[in-house]
Amino acid sequence: MQQIVIQGGKSLKGKVRISGSKNAALPILAATILTDKKNIIRNVPKLRDIDTFCRLLTSLGTKIKKETNKKVSADCSNISNLEAPYDLVKTMRASFLVMGPLLARFGEAKVSLPGGCAIGARPINLHLKGFQSMGAKIKIKDGYVLAKAKHLKGAKIYFDQPTVTGTENLMLAAVLAKGTSLIENAAKEPEVVDLAKVLIKMGANIKGAGTDTIKIVGVAHLKGFDHNIIPDRIETGTFMIAAALTNGEIKILNCIPGNVKALIVKLQSAGVEITTKDNSLFVKGKHSIKPVNLVTSPYPGFPTDMQAQFMVLMTMAKGTSIISETIFENRFMHIAELKRMGADISIEGHTAMVKGAKKLSGAPVMATDLRASACLILAGLAAKGKTTISRVYHLDRGYEKIEEKFSALGASIKRISNH
Ligand code: EPZ
């Protein structure tokens, strides 16, 4: 088992370069299924989830080539298998994104139900309802979704609530459907917009990505693409908070400040100094942090993926802050670990009350999910003394070389293997 060990209390100073976005790369890898031409994807982060998705595409018959400079080429001209097996889908729910493109191009797909995960039940009912409205016959059998459609037809799809991969899955289905589709109450995340950019490069007819209504007029076939993945806004936010809570000064390169606006506003209300340029941010921590209340919501609101990290900062604010998690039903698991480090946090349903002005002290803690593991790293950096984080495999799903990036900023952080 690997662990990450941190000696806290160092002020982080210097520059960090943000990697490509995991949550943009995954749907874009799924888009390669839509064409029999070759595709090039650049700035692909080196992450376990990306490897899992590439393994899944290979199992379908895709020829994948990962080159050293973060470039991945994918050729889906010989897809022979239309089944995404349980052992792959269970390790990464986003595998379900192959359903839309397989249905669109081959009229058939058999994908394991993704099941829930630590942060919630993670249903996919909205995905399935969308496919059915496009004429797909859906059956659930032995834990798999069996979907069939002679030829998907354009439809009007309304999402009861915005779903990121639901919006992406239906876009991937609609681009080759017969006729026009309208996706209403669509997710507006930058990763949805990046996928739309790729589909348009492939020859798709899409308007409105990034707004709550996306209009797609189906086309007969799509060509290959060459695309540079956008930077990861959650990694960006993680380093912004690292500067704020270690009273440091970090220049964040290769990022898109416009994609982290909600976090910038909240950090500035907490008294953190932030200046932005076209593709970089400068964040200067402050001795005293002000308490700030927070409610997570779909983009462009405050991202649920940043809630745990922001909570660490609030443990040191001069006062009490109220943090509400509205997206996932079980996304407070990091609180028990933070309390073991001395944080004073109480939970009422989906709301946490964080009593600040606490100096965290290092302790052995356990990661429970991807973003909670990032929050524990931040807590270890801010805490007095040594923090040992176990189950770091969660971290490796979504952060590329995180301990190298933090140690380059002056953190005392290392990965150890203990048997
Ligand atoms: C995406 O998950 C992200 N994953 C998540 O990031 C992120 O936390 C989430 O969006 C919210 O922003 C990827 O993009 C690969 P949703 P997704 O469908 O699409 C409910 C990370 O750390 N819902 O937008 O699965 C659902 O229960 C991960 O990188 C239904 O009820 O999330 C939730 O309450 C964690 N039925 C809400 O919608 C459905 O069919 C939003 O979920 C689909 C969703």
Side-chain angles (χ1 to χ4, degrees):
M1 278 285 261
Q2 294 194 328
Q3 292 180 313
I4 284 187
V5 181
I6 299 170
Q7 284 297 343
K10 308 249 181 339
S11 264
L12 301 189
K13 289 197 177 12
K15 291 182 180 155
V16 65
R17 203 177 158 66
I18 298 300
S19 302
S21 161
K22 163 178 88 76
N23 291 351
L26 295 171
I28 288 170
L29 279 163
T32 63
I33 294 172
L34 292 166
T35 174
D36 58 1
K37 302 286 179 281
K38 200 171 159 195
N39 308 283
I40 304 276
I41 312 173
R42 302 175 195 276
N43 193 30
V44 179
K46 234 192 126 1
L47 301 170
R48 239 153 52 84
D49 275 8
I50 300 294
D51 294 344
T52 305
F53 209 97
C54 290
R55 272 210 323 280
L56 170 60
L57 287 176
T58 308
S59 75
L60 300 179
T62 305
K63 274 207 283 317
I64 291 258
K65 222 162 108 229
K66 286 187 220 164
E67 298 172 28
T68 44
N69 51 353
K70 298 174 188 277
K71 188 171 116 179
V72 171
S73 65
D75 170 354
C76 296
S77 50
N78 283 322
I79 287 204
S80 51
N81 166 30
L82 303 178
E83 176 174 339
Y86 174 63
D87 64 321
L88 279 176
V89 178
K90 77 172 188 300
T91 50
M92 190 198 48
R93 311 181 62 267
S95 314
F96 201 71
L97 280 167
V98 302
M99 172 69 74
L102 286 174
L103 261 183
R105 188 166 156 217
F106 302 100
E108 196 180 329
K110 181 181 176 187
V111 181
S112 165
L113 274 167
C117 75
I119 62 177
R122 312 291 296 275
I124 44 142
N125 58 311
L126 300 177
H127 300 232
L128 301 182
K129 206 171 114 203
F131 294 137
Q132 281 169 321
S133 60
M134 297 179 77
K137 296 275 168 282
I138 301 278
K139 238 167 63 189
I140 310 271
K141 193 164 174 300
D142 311 329
Y144 279 78
V145 178
L146 312 170
K148 268 206 169 68
K150 261 197 298 308
H151 192 152
L152 289 175
K153 54 186 192 334
K156 200 165 168 186
I157 296 146
Y158 174 79
F159 283 129
D160 308 354
Q161 63 187 96
T163 155
V164 176
T165 49
T167 302
E168 292 162 347
N169 228 340
L170 271 298
M171 285 163 72
L172 290 161
V175 286
L176 284 178
K178 232 202 202 74
T180 300
S181 298
L182 216 51
I183 304 176
E184 296 186 295
N185 201 17
K188 299 182 261 196
E189 272 70 3
E191 295 76 31
V192 171
V193 176
D194 211 27
L195 171 64
K197 280 198 185 113
V198 164
L199 293 170
I200 291 166
K201 281 183 183 177
M202 297 172 79
N205 179 336
I206 302 183
K207 288 197 178 49
T211 74
D212 26 27
T213 304
I214 301 176
K215 183 177 175 194
I216 299 175
V217 180
V219 293
H221 62 84
L222 293 166
K223 50 189 198 292
F225 65 87
D226 184 330
H227 187 73
N228 208 17
I229 302 281
I230 52 167
D232 192 308
R233 61 190 168 97
I234 306 301
E235 186 190 21
T236 303
T238 305
F239 282 100
M240 290 168 71
I241 294 184
L245 48 72
T246 62
N247 194 15
E249 295 183 14
I250 301 180
K251 189 157 189 319
I252 301 172
L253 305 171
N254 185 41
C255 66
I256 304 177
N259 288 351
V260 287
K261 244 183 245 152
L263 179 61
I264 289 174
V265 168
K266 287 295 174 186
L267 287 176
Q268 285 173 333
S269 330
V272 179
E273 228 177 274
I274 299 175
T275 42
T276 63
K277 288 238 173 57
D278 298 356
N279 58 3
S280 70
L281 272 161
F282 179 69
V283 184
K284 191 172 176 335
K286 272 277 179 325
H287 269 297
S288 74
I289 295 288
K290 296 186 202 113
V292 173
N293 294 337
L294 179 73
V295 181
T296 62
S297 61
Y299 195 88
F302 191 96
T304 171
D305 291 351
M306 284 304 304
Q307 176 257 112
Q309 296 92 314
F310 193 81
M311 190 180 284
V312 182
L313 183 65
M314 290 298 106
T315 66
M316 54 201 292
K318 300 251 174 307
T320 299
S321 31
I322 309 286
I323 296 180
S324 297
E325 171 54 60
T326 68
I327 307 291
F328 292 116
E329 63 271 28
N330 190 31
R331 207 167 200 177
F332 278 159
M333 285 169 298
H334 47 284
I335 291 179
E337 301 305 299
L338 292 177
K339 289 171 80 161
R340 299 185 57 248
M341 298 176 74
D344 181 352
I345 307 172
S346 53
I347 304 176
E348 286 283 317
H350 294 298
T351 299
M353 187 153 79
V354 185
K355 282 209 181 66
K358 289 280 169 293
K359 181 75 186 144
L360 298 179
S361 41
V365 289
M366 190 167 73
T368 50
D369 63 88
L370 167 55
R371 304 304 173 184
S373 35
C375 123
L376 295 176
I377 287 204
L378 293 175
L381 293 171
K384 224 175 25 293
K386 176 171 132 178
T387 299
T388 307
I389 305 168
S390 50
R391 298 196 180 174
V392 290
Y393 54 82
H394 290 293
L395 197 66
D396 298 334
R397 295 189 51 179
Y399 286 92
E400 188 179 38
K401 302 196 182 97
I402 194 153
E403 62 265 31
E404 285 163 41
K405 290 183 177 180
F406 273 123
S407 32
L409 291 166
S412 158
I413 178 171
K414 65 180 188 312
R415 185 183 287 248
I416 59 168
S417 297
N418 74 337
H419 307 297

